Amino acid sequence: IWVHEGYLGEKSRVTRDAAYDYFPVWSPSGSQLAFSSVRNVSSDIFLVSTDGKGRVLPVVTGRKSEWVASWSRDGRYLAYEVDDPDTKRDLWYIPMDGDRSPRPFLRSDAQEFYPNLAPDGEYVAYQSDETGRSEIYVSQFPSGRSRIQISQHGGTAPRWAGSGNELFFIEGTVLMAVTIDRSRGGVRQGTTETLFSAEDMGVRMLGEYLEPA
């Protein structure tokens, strides 16, 4: 794991273990990074200071593989994925206060990916293939109530805007934006807008990532 200061700034190495470290997620204060690492037999989740000093602390470990995905802005919850042989890919979370006991958010026969917590921590967007293809959903967090389907023609990699009133996701090779209305309690989908395609920008899709074509 490395930290790069700005577009042309200096970069510093944060982790130095021989294992594969990946998927870093900033803490709300910016003082720590949660990341996934194959330091044991499976992928586990660890914490490290962003200056690379101090010990690397285990957060979630075990025989199953876990991948960190999102840290709530109030610092209370860390959301992540779990690879379960019985239920495929599931969504879990861990309270960052108290005993830090892992708790399931969504376990089903479908595969769930990329939990992304809203800025206020009250909702989570995620990807599920329960209909036979990947679509984007938004649900109350951590109760799982008031769930709605956001995408209608396939969707991957949801990300909240900083305002919490807009959600981005990828449909095929197109970046989409949809307004989210939470003004009357619960959650409602607003206007969906096409922003741009990978071809328009001269890049290609690598899973949910963009890279130069």
Side-chain angles (χ1 to χ4, degrees), residues 2-13 26 50-51:
W2 294 72
V3 171
H4 200 148
E5 297 181 6
Y7 186 65
L8 297 174
E10 296 182 356
K11 61 180 181 180
S12 58
R13 187 171 178 175
W26 290 98
T50 51
D51 60 12

Side-chain angles (χ1 to χ4, degrees), residues 87-108:
T87 54
K88 303 177 184 177
R89 195 72 68 91
D90 300 318
L91 305 184
W92 286 61
Y93 67 96
I94 183 169
M96 297 304 287
D97 298 325
D99 62 1
R100 294 187 177 180
S101 298
R103 304 175 187 182
F105 173 75
L106 182 57
R107 299 182 69 198
S108 73

Side-chain angles (χ1 to χ4, degrees), residues 91 105-106 112 114-128 130 136-150 158 160 167 180 182 186-188:
L91 305 184
F105 173 75
L106 182 57
E112 294 89 23
Y114 309 121
N116 190 246
L117 295 167
D120 62 6
E122 294 183 2
Y123 288 84
V124 61
Y126 62 92
Q127 171 185 331
S128 172
E130 63 186 75
I136 302 302
Y137 299 83
V138 168
S139 179
Q140 283 185 329
F141 181 83
S143 68
R145 296 191 297 268
S146 301
R147 191 185 77 142
I148 63 170
Q149 181 176 332
I150 298 297
W160 290 95
L167 187 71
I180 302 295
R182 296 183 291 163
V187 59
R188 297 171 179 82

